[in-house]
Amino acid sequence: MIILKIGGSILTNKDSKTSEVDAVSLKRIASEIKASMDNSPKELVIVHGAGSFGHPPAKKHRIGEEFDKSQYPQKRLGFCEIQNEVKKLNMFICEAFIEEGLPVVAIPASSFMRATNKRITDGNLDSFKRYLEKGFIP
């Protein structure tokens, strides 16, 4: 099995104040992965960063910094905003990969793992295993 992490800074303009996909790089990466898969089928899991979709709202809401309980409602909304923005990026990635003929399926990190104090504390990889058995690329 290969786990490929694609950095958000290659997929987006991470320093942009707005969410911005680097469509040229995304298409090139999708094409290169497809060529690799055509040469010899393999189990592949793709992970990607958040780039300009996740970092600006995380900075705005100061996610990752300590906070007291009174700030929790606002932090929760910040988390929702970040998750929604990263889903948008993931949609662009999935569309580009599917156009290239790669059978990708999105599995949001929050659906299979938990973290405490910036450390992963629990994870369930069953959905990955099921998708891989069917020939998908999670």
Coordinates of all heavy atoms in Angstrom, one line a residue, residues 1-95:
M1 N 0.8 -1.2 0.0 CA 0.0 0.0 0.0 C 0.9 1.2 0.0 O 1.9 1.3 0.7 CB -0.9 0.0 1.2 CG -1.7 1.3 1.3 SD -2.6 1.5 2.8 CE -3.5 0.0 3.0
I2 N 0.4 2.2 -0.7 CA 1.1 3.5 -0.8 C 0.2 4.6 -0.2 O -1.0 4.7 -0.6 CB 1.5 3.9 -2.3 CG1 2.5 2.8 -2.8 CG2 2.1 5.3 -2.3 CD1 2.7 3.0 -4.3
I3 N 0.7 5.4 0.7 CA 0.0 6.6 1.2 C 0.8 7.8 0.6 O 1.9 8.0 1.0 CB -0.1 6.6 2.7 CG1 -0.8 5.3 3.2 CG2 -0.8 7.8 3.2 CD1 -0.8 5.2 4.7
L4 N 0.1 8.5 -0.2 CA 0.6 9.7 -0.8 C 0.0 11.0 -0.2 O -1.2 11.2 -0.3 CB 0.4 9.7 -2.4 CG 0.8 10.9 -3.2 CD1 2.3 11.1 -3.1 CD2 0.3 10.7 -4.6
K5 N 0.9 11.8 0.3 CA 0.4 13.1 0.9 C 0.8 14.2 -0.1 O 1.9 14.4 -0.5 CB 1.1 13.4 2.2 CG 0.4 14.3 3.1 CD 0.6 15.8 2.8 CE 0.0 16.7 3.9 NZ 0.4 18.0 3.8
I6 N -0.2 14.9 -0.6 CA 0.0 16.0 -1.5 C -0.2 17.3 -0.7 O -1.3 17.6 -0.1 CB -1.0 16.0 -2.6 CG1 -1.0 14.7 -3.4 CG2 -0.8 17.2 -3.6 CD1 -2.1 14.5 -4.4
G7 N 0.8 18.1 -0.6 CA 0.8 19.3 0.2 C -0.2 20.4 -0.3 O -0.3 20.5 -1.5
G8 N -0.8 21.0 0.6 CA -1.7 22.1 0.3 C -1.1 23.2 -0.5 O -1.7 23.9 -1.3
S9 N 0.2 23.4 -0.3 CA 0.9 24.6 -0.9 C 1.1 24.3 -2.4 O 1.3 25.2 -3.2 CB 2.2 24.9 -0.2 OG 3.1 23.8 -0.2
I10 N 1.1 23.0 -2.8 CA 1.3 22.7 -4.3 C -0.1 22.8 -5.0 O -0.2 23.0 -6.2 CB 2.0 21.4 -4.5 CG1 2.3 21.2 -6.0 CG2 1.2 20.2 -4.1 CD1 3.8 21.5 -6.3
L11 N -1.2 22.5 -4.2 CA -2.5 22.5 -4.7 C -3.2 23.8 -4.7 O -4.2 24.1 -5.5 CB -3.4 21.5 -3.9 CG -2.9 20.0 -3.9 CD1 -3.7 19.3 -2.8 CD2 -3.1 19.4 -5.3
T12 N -2.7 24.7 -3.9 CA -3.4 26.1 -3.7 C -2.3 27.1 -3.6 O -1.1 26.8 -3.4 CB -4.2 26.1 -2.5 OG1 -3.4 26.2 -1.3 CG2 -5.2 25.0 -2.4
N13 N -2.7 28.4 -3.6 CA -1.8 29.5 -3.3 C -2.1 29.7 -1.8 O -3.0 30.4 -1.4 CB -2.2 30.7 -4.1 CG -1.3 31.9 -3.7 OD1 -0.5 31.8 -2.8 ND2 -1.5 33.0 -4.4
K14 N -1.2 29.0 -1.0 CA -1.4 29.0 0.5 C -1.4 30.4 1.1 O -2.1 30.7 2.1 CB -0.4 28.1 1.1 CG -0.5 28.0 2.6 CD 0.5 27.0 3.1 CE 0.5 27.0 4.7 NZ 1.5 26.1 5.2
D15 N -0.7 31.3 0.5 CA -0.5 32.7 1.0 C -1.7 33.6 0.6 O -1.8 34.7 1.1 CB 0.8 33.3 0.6 CG 2.0 32.5 1.2 OD1 1.9 32.0 2.3 OD2 3.0 32.4 0.5
S16 N -2.6 33.1 -0.2 CA -3.7 33.9 -0.7 C -4.7 34.2 0.4 O -4.9 33.3 1.3 CB -4.4 33.2 -1.8 OG -5.6 33.9 -2.2
K17 N -5.3 35.3 0.4 CA -6.3 35.7 1.5 C -7.6 35.0 1.1 O -8.5 34.9 2.0 CB -6.5 37.2 1.5 CG -5.2 37.9 2.0 CD -5.4 38.7 3.2 CE -4.2 39.5 3.5 NZ -3.4 39.0 4.5
T18 N -7.8 34.5 -0.1 CA -9.0 33.8 -0.5 C -8.6 32.4 -0.9 O -7.5 32.1 -1.3 CB -9.7 34.5 -1.7 OG1 -8.8 34.6 -2.8 CG2 -10.1 35.9 -1.3
S19 N -9.6 31.5 -0.9 CA -9.4 30.1 -1.4 C -9.1 30.1 -2.9 O -9.9 30.6 -3.6 CB -10.6 29.3 -1.0 OG -10.9 29.4 0.3
E20 N -8.0 29.5 -3.2 CA -7.5 29.6 -4.6 C -6.8 28.3 -5.0 O -5.8 28.0 -4.4 CB -6.6 30.8 -4.8 CG -6.1 31.0 -6.2 CD -5.2 32.3 -6.2 OE1 -5.5 33.3 -5.6 OE2 -4.2 32.2 -6.9
V21 N -7.4 27.5 -5.9 CA -6.8 26.3 -6.4 C -5.8 26.6 -7.5 O -6.0 27.5 -8.3 CB -7.9 25.3 -7.0 CG1 -7.3 24.1 -7.6 CG2 -8.8 24.9 -5.9
D22 N -4.7 25.8 -7.5 CA -3.7 25.9 -8.5 C -4.1 24.8 -9.5 O -3.6 23.7 -9.4 CB -2.3 25.7 -8.0 CG -1.2 25.8 -9.1 OD1 -1.5 25.7 -10.3 OD2 0.0 26.0 -8.7
A23 N -4.9 25.2 -10.5 CA -5.5 24.2 -11.4 C -4.5 23.5 -12.3 O -4.6 22.3 -12.6 CB -6.6 24.8 -12.3
V24 N -3.4 24.2 -12.6 CA -2.4 23.6 -13.5 C -1.6 22.5 -12.7 O -1.4 21.4 -13.2 CB -1.4 24.7 -14.0 CG1 -0.2 24.1 -14.7 CG2 -2.1 25.7 -14.9
S25 N -1.2 22.8 -11.5 CA -0.5 21.8 -10.7 C -1.5 20.7 -10.4 O -1.0 19.5 -10.4 CB -0.1 22.4 -9.4 OG 1.0 23.3 -9.6
L26 N -2.7 20.9 -10.1 CA -3.7 19.9 -9.7 C -3.8 18.9 -10.9 O -3.8 17.7 -10.7 CB -5.0 20.4 -9.3 CG -6.1 19.5 -9.0 CD1 -5.7 18.5 -7.9 CD2 -7.4 20.2 -8.5
K27 N -4.0 19.4 -12.1 CA -4.1 18.6 -13.3 C -2.9 17.8 -13.5 O -2.9 16.6 -13.9 CB -4.4 19.5 -14.5 CG -4.5 18.7 -15.8 CD -5.6 19.0 -16.7 CE -5.7 18.2 -18.0 NZ -6.0 16.8 -17.8
R28 N -1.7 18.4 -13.4 CA -0.4 17.7 -13.6 C -0.3 16.6 -12.6 O 0.1 15.4 -12.9 CB 0.8 18.7 -13.4 CG 2.1 18.0 -13.6 CD 3.3 19.0 -13.3 NE 3.2 19.7 -12.1 CZ 3.6 19.1 -10.9 NH1 4.0 17.9 -10.8 NH2 3.5 19.8 -9.8
I29 N -0.6 16.8 -11.3 CA -0.5 15.8 -10.3 C -1.4 14.6 -10.6 O -1.0 13.5 -10.5 CB -0.7 16.4 -8.9 CG1 0.4 17.3 -8.5 CG2 -1.0 15.3 -7.9 CD1 0.1 18.2 -7.4
A30 N -2.7 14.9 -11.0 CA -3.6 13.9 -11.3 C -3.1 13.1 -12.5 O -3.2 11.8 -12.4 CB -5.0 14.5 -11.6
S31 N -2.6 13.7 -13.5 CA -2.1 13.0 -14.6 C -0.9 12.1 -14.3 O -0.8 11.0 -14.7 CB -1.6 14.0 -15.7 OG -1.1 13.4 -16.8
E32 N 0.0 12.6 -13.4 CA 1.2 11.8 -13.0 C 0.7 10.6 -12.2 O 1.3 9.5 -12.3 CB 2.1 12.7 -12.2 CG 2.9 13.7 -13.1 CD 3.7 14.6 -12.3 OE1 3.9 14.5 -11.1 OE2 4.3 15.5 -12.9
I33 N -0.2 10.8 -11.3 CA -0.7 9.6 -10.5 C -1.4 8.6 -11.4 O -1.2 7.4 -11.3 CB -1.7 10.1 -9.4 CG1 -0.9 10.9 -8.4 CG2 -2.4 8.9 -8.7 CD1 -1.8 11.7 -7.4
K34 N -2.2 9.1 -12.4 CA -2.9 8.2 -13.3 C -1.8 7.4 -14.1 O -2.0 6.1 -14.2 CB -3.8 9.0 -14.3 CG -4.4 8.1 -15.4 CD -5.4 7.1 -14.9 CE -6.1 6.4 -16.0 NZ -6.7 5.2 -15.7
A35 N -0.8 8.0 -14.6 CA 0.3 7.3 -15.3 C 1.0 6.3 -14.4 O 1.2 5.2 -14.9 CB 1.3 8.3 -15.8
S36 N 1.2 6.6 -13.2 CA 1.8 5.6 -12.2 C 0.9 4.4 -12.0 O 1.3 3.3 -12.0 CB 2.0 6.3 -10.9 OG 2.3 5.4 -9.9
M37 N -0.4 4.7 -11.9 CA -1.4 3.6 -11.7 C -1.5 2.7 -12.9 O -1.7 1.5 -12.8 CB -2.8 4.1 -11.3 CG -2.8 4.9 -10.0 SD -2.3 4.0 -8.6 CE -3.8 3.1 -8.3
D38 N -1.4 3.3 -14.1 CA -1.5 2.5 -15.4 C -0.3 1.6 -15.5 O -0.5 0.5 -16.1 CB -1.6 3.5 -16.6 CG -2.9 4.2 -16.7 OD1 -3.9 3.7 -16.1 OD2 -3.0 5.2 -17.5
N39 N 0.8 2.0 -15.0 CA 2.0 1.1 -15.1 C 1.9 -0.1 -14.3 O 2.4 -1.2 -14.7 CB 3.3 1.9 -14.8 CG 3.6 3.0 -15.8 OD1 3.2 3.0 -16.9 ND2 4.3 4.0 -15.3
S40 N 1.4 0.0 -13.1 CA 1.2 -1.2 -12.3 C 0.1 -0.9 -11.2 O 0.4 0.0 -10.4 CB 2.5 -1.7 -11.7 OG 2.9 -0.7 -10.7
P41 N -1.0 -1.6 -11.3 CA -2.1 -1.3 -10.3 C -1.5 -1.5 -8.9 O -0.7 -2.4 -8.6 CB -3.2 -2.3 -10.6 CG -2.9 -2.7 -12.0 CD -1.4 -2.6 -12.2
K42 N -1.9 -0.7 -7.9 CA -1.5 -0.7 -6.6 C -2.5 -0.2 -5.6 O -3.4 0.6 -6.1 CB -0.1 -0.1 -6.4 CG -0.1 1.4 -6.9 CD 1.3 2.0 -7.0 CE 2.1 1.6 -8.1 NZ 1.9 2.0 -9.4
E43 N -2.5 -0.5 -4.4 CA -3.4 0.1 -3.4 C -2.8 1.4 -3.1 O -1.6 1.6 -2.7 CB -3.4 -0.8 -2.1 CG -4.3 -2.0 -2.3 CD -4.5 -2.7 -1.0 OE1 -3.6 -2.6 -0.1 OE2 -5.5 -3.4 -0.8
L44 N -3.6 2.5 -3.2 CA -3.2 3.8 -3.0 C -4.2 4.6 -2.1 O -5.4 4.5 -2.4 CB -3.0 4.6 -4.3 CG -2.6 6.0 -4.3 CD1 -1.3 6.3 -3.7 CD2 -2.7 6.6 -5.7
V45 N -3.7 5.3 -1.1 CA -4.5 6.2 -0.3 C -3.9 7.6 -0.5 O -2.6 7.8 -0.4 CB -4.4 5.9 1.2 CG1 -5.2 6.9 2.0 CG2 -5.0 4.5 1.4
I46 N -4.7 8.6 -0.9 CA -4.2 10.0 -1.1 C -4.7 10.8 0.1 O -5.9 10.8 0.4 CB -4.7 10.5 -2.4 CG1 -4.1 9.6 -3.6 CG2 -4.3 12.0 -2.6 CD1 -4.6 10.0 -4.9
V47 N -3.8 11.6 0.6 CA -4.1 12.6 1.7 C -3.6 13.9 1.1 O -2.6 14.0 0.4 CB -3.3 12.2 2.9 CG1 -3.6 13.2 4.1 CG2 -3.5 10.8 3.4
H48 N -4.4 15.0 1.5 CA -3.9 16.3 1.0 C -4.0 17.3 2.1 O -4.8 17.2 3.1 CB -4.7 16.7 -0.2 CG -6.2 17.0 0.0 ND1 -6.6 18.1 0.6 CD2 -7.3 16.2 -0.2 CE1 -8.0 18.1 0.7 NE2 -8.4 16.9 0.3
G49 N -3.2 18.4 2.0 CA -3.2 19.5 2.9 C -4.4 20.4 2.6 O -5.1 20.2 1.7
A50 N -4.4 21.5 3.4 CA -5.5 22.4 3.4 C -5.2 23.7 2.6 O -6.1 24.4 2.1 CB -6.0 22.8 4.8
G51 N -3.9 24.1 2.5 CA -3.5 25.2 1.7 C -4.4 26.5 2.1 O -4.7 26.7 3.2
S52 N -4.6 27.2 1.0 CA -5.4 28.5 1.2 C -6.8 28.3 1.5 O -7.6 29.3 1.8 CB -5.2 29.4 -0.1 OG -5.9 28.8 -1.2
F53 N -7.3 27.0 1.5 CA -8.7 26.8 1.9 C -8.8 26.6 3.4 O -9.8 27.1 4.0 CB -9.2 25.5 1.2 CG -9.5 25.7 -0.2 CD1 -8.5 25.9 -1.2 CD2 -10.8 25.8 -0.7 CE1 -8.8 26.1 -2.5 CE2 -11.1 26.0 -2.0 CZ -10.1 26.1 -2.9
G54 N -7.8 26.0 4.1 CA -8.0 25.8 5.5 C -7.1 26.7 6.4 O -7.6 27.0 7.5
H55 N -6.0 27.2 5.9 CA -5.1 27.9 6.8 C -5.6 29.3 7.2 O -5.6 29.7 8.3 CB -3.7 28.0 6.2 CG -3.0 26.7 6.3 ND1 -2.3 26.3 7.4 CD2 -2.9 25.7 5.3 CE1 -1.8 25.0 7.2 NE2 -2.2 24.7 5.9
P56 N -6.2 30.1 6.2 CA -6.7 31.4 6.6 C -7.8 31.3 7.7 O -7.8 32.1 8.7 CB -7.2 32.0 5.3 CG -6.3 31.4 4.3 CD -6.1 30.0 4.7
P57 N -8.9 30.5 7.5 CA -9.9 30.4 8.6 C -9.3 29.9 9.9 O -9.7 30.3 11.0 CB -11.0 29.6 8.0 CG -10.4 28.8 6.9 CD -9.3 29.7 6.4
A58 N -8.3 29.0 9.8 CA -7.7 28.5 11.1 C -7.0 29.6 11.8 O -7.0 29.7 13.0 CB -6.7 27.3 10.7
K59 N -6.3 30.4 11.0 CA -5.6 31.6 11.6 C -6.6 32.6 12.2 O -6.4 33.1 13.3 CB -4.7 32.2 10.6 CG -3.9 33.3 11.1 CD -2.9 33.9 10.0 CE -2.0 34.9 10.6 NZ -1.1 35.5 9.6
K60 N -7.7 32.8 11.4 CA -8.7 33.8 11.9 C -9.3 33.3 13.2 O -9.6 34.2 14.1 CB -9.8 33.9 10.8 CG -11.0 34.7 11.1 CD -12.0 34.8 9.9 CE -13.3 34.2 10.3 NZ -14.2 34.2 9.2
H61 N -9.6 32.1 13.3 CA -10.3 31.6 14.5 C -9.3 31.1 15.6 O -9.7 30.5 16.6 CB -11.2 30.4 14.2 CG -12.4 30.9 13.4 ND1 -13.4 31.6 13.9 CD2 -12.6 30.8 12.0 CE1 -14.3 31.9 12.9 NE2 -13.8 31.4 11.8
R62 N -8.0 31.2 15.3 CA -6.9 30.9 16.2 C -7.1 29.4 16.7 O -6.9 29.1 17.9 CB -6.8 31.9 17.4 CG -6.5 33.3 16.8 CD -6.6 34.4 17.8 NE -6.5 34.0 19.2 CZ -6.3 34.9 20.2 NH1 -6.3 36.2 19.9 NH2 -6.3 34.5 21.4
I63 N -7.3 28.6 15.7 CA -7.5 27.1 16.0 C -6.1 26.6 16.4 O -5.1 26.9 15.7 CB -8.1 26.4 14.8 CG1 -9.5 26.9 14.5 CG2 -8.1 24.9 15.1 CD1 -10.5 26.8 15.6
G64 N -6.0 25.8 17.4 CA -4.7 25.2 17.8 C -4.2 26.0 19.0 O -3.3 25.5 19.7
E65 N -4.7 27.1 19.3 CA -4.3 27.9 20.5 C -5.2 27.5 21.7 O -6.4 27.1 21.5 CB -4.4 29.4 20.2 CG -3.5 29.9 19.1 CD -3.6 31.4 18.9 OE1 -4.1 32.1 19.7 OE2 -3.1 31.8 17.8
E66 N -4.7 27.7 22.9 CA -5.5 27.4 24.1 C -6.7 28.4 24.1 O -6.6 29.5 23.7 CB -4.6 27.5 25.3 CG -3.7 26.3 25.5 CD -3.0 26.3 26.8 OE1 -3.7 26.6 27.8 OE2 -1.8 26.0 26.9
F67 N -7.7 27.9 24.7 CA -8.9 28.8 24.9 C -9.7 28.3 26.1 O -9.5 27.1 26.6 CB -9.8 28.8 23.7 CG -10.4 27.5 23.3 CD1 -11.7 27.1 23.8 CD2 -9.7 26.5 22.5 CE1 -12.3 25.9 23.4 CE2 -10.3 25.3 22.2 CZ -11.6 25.0 22.7
D68 N -10.5 29.2 26.7 CA -11.3 28.7 27.8 C -12.7 28.4 27.4 O -13.1 28.6 26.2 CB -11.4 29.8 28.9 CG -12.0 31.1 28.5 OD1 -13.1 31.1 27.9 OD2 -11.4 32.2 28.6
K69 N -13.5 27.8 28.2 CA -14.8 27.2 27.9 C -15.7 28.3 27.3 O -16.6 27.9 26.5 CB -15.4 26.5 29.1 CG -14.8 25.2 29.4 CD -15.5 24.5 30.5 CE -14.9 23.2 30.8 NZ -15.7 22.3 31.5
S70 N -15.6 29.5 27.7 CA -16.5 30.5 27.2 C -16.3 30.8 25.7 O -17.2 31.3 25.0 CB -16.3 31.9 28.0 OG -15.1 32.4 27.6
Q71 N -15.1 30.4 25.2 CA -14.8 30.6 23.8 C -15.2 29.4 22.9 O -15.1 29.5 21.7 CB -13.3 30.9 23.6 CG -12.8 32.1 24.2 CD -11.3 32.2 24.2 OE1 -10.6 31.4 24.8 NE2 -10.8 33.2 23.5
Y72 N -15.7 28.3 23.6 CA -16.0 27.1 22.8 C -17.0 27.3 21.7 O -16.8 26.8 20.6 CB -16.4 26.0 23.8 CG -16.6 24.7 23.1 CD1 -15.6 24.0 22.5 CD2 -17.9 24.2 22.9 CE1 -15.8 22.8 21.9 CE2 -18.2 23.0 22.2 CZ -17.1 22.3 21.7 OH -17.3 21.1 21.0
P73 N -18.1 28.0 21.9 CA -19.1 28.2 20.8 C -18.4 28.8 19.6 O -18.7 28.4 18.5 CB -20.2 29.0 21.4 CG -20.1 28.8 22.9 CD -18.6 28.6 23.2
Q74 N -17.6 29.8 19.8 CA -16.9 30.4 18.6 C -15.9 29.5 18.0 O -15.8 29.5 16.8 CB -16.3 31.8 19.1 CG -15.9 32.6 17.9 CD -17.1 33.0 17.0 OE1 -18.2 33.2 17.5 NE2 -16.8 33.1 15.7
K75 N -15.2 28.8 18.8 CA -14.2 27.8 18.2 C -14.9 26.7 17.4 O -14.4 26.3 16.4 CB -13.4 27.2 19.4 CG -12.4 28.1 20.1 CD -11.2 28.5 19.2 CE -10.3 29.3 20.0 NZ -9.1 29.7 19.3
R76 N -16.0 26.3 17.9 CA -16.8 25.3 17.2 C -17.2 25.8 15.9 O -17.1 25.1 14.9 CB -18.0 24.9 18.1 CG -18.8 23.7 17.6 CD -19.8 23.2 18.5 NE -20.7 24.4 18.9 CZ -21.4 24.4 20.0 NH1 -21.3 23.5 20.9 NH2 -22.2 25.5 20.2
L77 N -17.7 27.0 15.8 CA -18.0 27.6 14.5 C -16.8 27.7 13.6 O -16.9 27.5 12.4 CB -18.7 29.0 14.7 CG -20.1 29.0 15.2 CD1 -20.6 30.4 15.5 CD2 -21.0 28.3 14.2
G78 N -15.7 28.1 14.2 CA -14.4 28.1 13.4 C -14.1 26.8 12.8 O -13.7 26.7 11.6
F79 N -14.2 25.7 13.6 CA -14.0 24.4 13.1 C -14.9 24.1 11.9 O -14.4 23.5 10.9 CB -14.2 23.4 14.3 CG -14.1 21.9 13.8 CD1 -12.9 21.3 13.7 CD2 -15.2 21.2 13.5 CE1 -12.8 20.0 13.2 CE2 -15.2 19.9 13.1 CZ -14.0 19.3 12.9
C80 N -16.1 24.4 12.1 CA -17.1 24.2 11.0 C -16.7 24.9 9.7 O -16.8 24.4 8.6 CB -18.5 24.6 11.4 SG -19.2 23.6 12.8
E81 N -16.3 26.2 9.9 CA -15.9 26.9 8.7 C -14.7 26.3 8.0 O -14.6 26.1 6.8 CB -15.5 28.4 9.1 CG -15.1 29.2 7.9 CD -14.8 30.7 8.4 OE1 -15.2 31.1 9.4 OE2 -14.0 31.3 7.6
I82 N -13.7 25.9 8.8 CA -12.5 25.2 8.2 C -12.9 23.9 7.5 O -12.4 23.7 6.4 CB -11.4 25.0 9.4 CG1 -10.9 26.3 9.9 CG2 -10.3 24.1 8.8 CD1 -10.3 26.1 11.3
Q83 N -13.7 23.1 8.2 CA -14.0 21.8 7.6 C -14.8 22.1 6.3 O -14.5 21.4 5.3 CB -14.9 21.0 8.6 CG -15.2 19.6 8.1 CD -16.1 18.9 9.0 OE1 -17.1 19.3 9.4 NE2 -15.6 17.7 9.4
N84 N -15.6 23.1 6.2 CA -16.4 23.3 5.0 C -15.5 23.8 3.9 O -15.6 23.4 2.7 CB -17.5 24.4 5.3 CG -18.5 24.5 4.2 OD1 -19.0 23.5 3.8 ND2 -18.8 25.7 3.8
E85 N -14.5 24.6 4.2 CA -13.5 25.1 3.2 C -12.7 24.0 2.7 O -12.4 23.9 1.5 CB -12.7 26.2 3.8 CG -13.4 27.5 4.0 CD -14.0 28.1 2.7 OE1 -13.2 28.2 1.7 OE2 -15.2 28.4 2.7
V86 N -12.2 23.1 3.6 CA -11.4 22.0 3.1 C -12.2 21.0 2.3 O -11.7 20.4 1.3 CB -10.7 21.3 4.3 CG1 -10.0 20.0 3.9 CG2 -9.8 22.3 5.0
K87 N -13.5 20.8 2.6 CA -14.4 20.0 1.7 C -14.5 20.6 0.3 O -14.5 19.8 -0.6 CB -15.8 19.9 2.3 CG -15.9 19.0 3.5 CD -17.4 19.0 4.0 CE -17.5 18.2 5.3 NZ -18.9 18.3 5.8
K88 N -14.5 21.9 0.2 CA -14.5 22.5 -1.1 C -13.2 22.2 -1.9 O -13.3 21.8 -3.1 CB -14.6 24.1 -1.0 CG -16.0 24.5 -0.5 CD -16.0 26.0 -0.3 CE -17.3 26.5 0.4 NZ -17.2 28.0 0.7
L89 N -12.1 22.3 -1.2 CA -10.8 21.9 -1.9 C -10.8 20.4 -2.3 O -10.5 20.1 -3.4 CB -9.6 22.2 -0.9 CG -8.3 21.7 -1.4 CD1 -7.9 22.3 -2.8 CD2 -7.2 21.9 -0.4
N90 N -11.3 19.6 -1.4 CA -11.4 18.2 -1.7 C -12.3 17.9 -2.9 O -12.0 17.0 -3.7 CB -11.9 17.4 -0.4 CG -11.8 15.9 -0.6 OD1 -12.9 15.3 -0.8 ND2 -10.7 15.4 -0.5
M91 N -13.3 18.7 -3.0 CA -14.2 18.5 -4.2 C -13.4 18.8 -5.5 O -13.5 18.1 -6.5 CB -15.4 19.4 -4.1 CG -16.4 19.2 -5.2 SD -17.8 20.3 -5.1 CE -17.0 21.9 -5.5
F92 N -12.7 19.9 -5.5 CA -11.9 20.2 -6.7 C -10.9 19.1 -7.0 O -10.7 18.7 -8.1 CB -11.1 21.5 -6.4 CG -11.9 22.8 -6.5 CD1 -12.0 23.6 -5.4 CD2 -12.6 23.1 -7.7 CE1 -12.8 24.8 -5.5 CE2 -13.3 24.3 -7.8 CZ -13.4 25.1 -6.7
I93 N -10.2 18.6 -5.9 CA -9.3 17.5 -6.1 C -9.9 16.2 -6.7 O -9.5 15.7 -7.6 CB -8.5 17.2 -4.8 CG1 -7.7 18.4 -4.4 CG2 -7.7 15.9 -4.9 CD1 -7.2 18.3 -2.9
C94 N -11.0 15.8 -6.1 CA -11.8 14.7 -6.5 C -12.2 14.8 -8.0 O -12.1 13.9 -8.8 CB -12.9 14.3 -5.6 SG -12.5 13.7 -4.0
E95 N -12.7 16.0 -8.3 CA -13.2 16.2 -9.7 C -12.0 16.1 -10.7 O -12.2 15.4 -11.7 CB -13.8 17.6 -9.8 CG -15.2 17.7 -9.2 CD -15.8 19.0 -9.3 OE1 -15.1 20.0 -9.6 OE2 -17.0 19.2 -8.9

